[in-house]
Amino acid sequence: MNKFLLAVHVLAAIVAVGPVTVAASMFPPSARKALAEPGDAQALSTVRVLHRICQVYATVGVAVPVFGFATAKNMGVLGDTWLIVSIALTALAAVVLAALVLPRQTALVEGIEGMEGMEGMEESIEEGVGGGGQGAAYAGASRVGPRDTARLAMFTGLFNLLWATVTILMIVRPGSTTGA
């Protein structure tokens, strides 16, 4: 049973966490491109797809700790320091993803979409704000820029670093008596 649970745990990590780390890493440069070229439908589409990948696989990623706990319980290592540290880092990575990465991606997608709708509307916005005209509808569109993508890249890097550390701890298992 240990081998089955471990295999499912590792496969879940590869299938769920791998796409999130890759898509999240690709998102900031893709968002910068979409911001630089507001009329580029392909750039907007790429940003939307990368964000959707992150959302879906983050949800699927819940299977990783579920099978991880089952595996650890079967192996009798729930109290081992390397596992407790791995659990804490996994929880921190989940918080970084849910609280810092995904919301910023959403804001960037919405901001880029708002820019798409604003294209060619600059004069209307300036004239229409407060006047109830067509520009008023676009005046509330969030402003996003390269600084937002840089911050997102930093949080994404932190998320990836946490997962890399967890992976190393899972392989090396310092102090483990179950054999490495």
Side-chain angles (χ1 to χ4, degrees):
M1 185 60 130
N2 284 350
K3 290 181 182 183
F4 171 76
L5 289 172
L6 183 59
V8 173
H9 172 63
V10 170
L11 285 171
I14 292 168
V15 170
V17 180
V20 174
T21 58
V22 172
S25 296
M26 292 173 64
F27 187 94
S30 297
R32 278 191 288 278
K33 182 176 190 283
L35 287 167
E37 302 168 16
D40 187 351
Q42 180 67 33
L44 175 60
S45 178
T46 299
V47 168
R48 285 178 178 152
V49 167
L50 291 172
H51 180 51
R52 185 71 179 145
I53 289 169
C54 290
Q55 290 176 318
V56 170
Y57 283 95
T59 304
V60 173
V62 172
V64 176
V66 168
F67 284 103
F69 274 112
T71 303
K73 184 179 177 204
N74 262 14
M75 292 175 68
V77 295
L78 276 174
D80 286 7
T81 305
W82 66 269
L83 185 65
I84 294 168
V85 172
S86 293
I87 291 167
L89 292 176
T90 298
L92 183 57
V95 168
V96 168
L97 182 63
L100 300 173
V101 174
L102 293 176
R104 281 174 170 74
Q105 284 184 352
T106 300
L108 279 161
V109 168
E110 290 172 356
I112 293 166
E113 287 171 342
M115 288 174 56
E116 291 289 317
M118 290 171 54
E119 192 172 298
M121 302 290 294
E122 288 83 10
E123 295 86 21
S124 297
I125 291 172
E126 290 172 9
E127 295 168 10
V129 172
Q134 187 178 15
Y138 294 102
S142 62
R143 299 280 182 189
V144 292
R147 293 186 90 190
D148 298 302
T149 64
R151 255 185 234 107
L152 175 59
M154 176 186 68
F155 292 127
T156 300
L158 176 60
F159 170 75
N160 292 342
L161 181 62
L162 288 167
W163 271 116
T165 305
V166 169
T167 302
I168 291 167
L169 284 172
M170 291 288 159
I171 293 168
V172 175
R173 299 184 301 177
S176 173
T177 59
T178 60

